[in-house]
Amino acid sequence: MCIRDRYQRRVHGENIQTFNNQMDGGGNEEKESGRPGRGADEELMMLYKANRPSEINMVGETLNSYYCALCGALCLVIDKSLEMLPIRKTDYAIIIRYGEHFFKHYLKQAGVILIARTAGIEKQWRWNCECGVLVAYQSVPYEELQDGRKHEEFTNQPHFYILTDALVIDAKLSKLIQELSKMQR
């Protein structure tokens, strides 16, 4: 049975115990790694997690997934809820400090822009979703974070800013998926 078939059976509500037994090879015997069978192989869990909203529990740590508010694509996985992070006063963006939180974004570089603020000119290195919607920006050049430097080595504290209303906690809440579901009714 291929990974996609197993995932489809899981999503469509087949008996979970039967599903887990199939994934374990029939029982709860130990796998080659010496650990007891967990109910799903790594590929299936990756596929499952990529299509499930909100919290993912891994080795005692809770990871939160966030999706593009327009197209529903996975954009951010972070160890803390965005609602718990500080908000920037100038544009109400959510602040993620490099080095304080574990996070991974799935965005593409969108260029540099200068913005006039009351305190002077601000330079932003922007990040878009795969659909082209602006989701985030950062306070340091792209290259500085890619060369492996630690956050303590920067003259300015590097921050990653998430724009207000750019992300949702469930892909089903995105505008595109909601419109598609209305059309199917």
Side-chain angles (χ1 to χ4, degrees), residues 21-181:
N21 286 340
Q22 288 175 351
M23 295 304 294
D24 289 337
N28 201 18
E29 67 271 35
E30 293 199 3
K31 295 194 178 202
E32 290 178 24
S33 66
R35 296 181 302 180
R38 299 211 183 264
D41 60 359
E42 200 170 298
E43 289 179 76
L44 177 61
M45 290 310 294
M46 294 293 286
L47 183 61
Y48 177 73
K49 290 171 188 173
N51 291 289
R52 299 306 284 179
S54 196
E55 296 183 357
I56 300 168
N57 208 351
M58 296 178 66
V59 194
E61 294 292 325
T62 300
L63 298 178
N64 298 286
S65 300
Y66 293 92
Y67 303 86
C68 175
L70 180 65
C71 71
L74 179 64
C75 290
L76 178 72
V77 177
I78 186 167
D79 65 348
K80 192 162 189 173
S81 174
L82 292 182
E83 293 81 19
M84 303 301 292
L85 295 175
I87 295 178
R88 189 173 188 205
K89 292 177 184 174
T90 55
D91 58 2
Y92 303 105
I94 299 166
I95 303 169
I96 302 173
R97 292 182 182 94
Y98 281 98
E100 285 187 26
H101 299 286
F102 168 79
F103 73 98
K104 169 84 172 127
H105 64 80
Y106 301 93
L107 305 169
K108 56 185 180 179
Q109 296 177 1
V112 180
I113 191 166
L114 297 173
I115 297 180
R117 302 274 191 209
T118 55
I121 305 258
E122 176 184 352
K123 201 171 194 179
Q124 294 179 354
W125 288 263
R126 294 185 160 200
W127 294 94
N128 285 352
C129 174
E130 59 190 36
C131 69
V133 171
L134 177 63
V135 173
Y137 62 92
Q138 64 188 40
S139 59
V140 295
Y142 301 122
E143 306 80 40
E144 288 191 25
L145 294 175
Q146 293 173 349
D147 66 6
R149 290 180 15 185
K150 295 183 179 174
H151 67 280
E152 294 90 10
E153 298 175 17
F154 292 101
T155 53
N156 294 331
Q157 175 70 23
H159 294 92
F160 192 78
Y161 301 96
I162 304 294
L163 298 178
T164 306
D165 298 329
L167 300 176
V168 293
I169 60 170
D170 188 346
K172 293 176 187 172
L173 298 174
S174 68
K175 303 264 189 247
L176 180 63
I177 294 176
Q178 285 182 345
E179 289 299 319
L180 287 173
S181 65

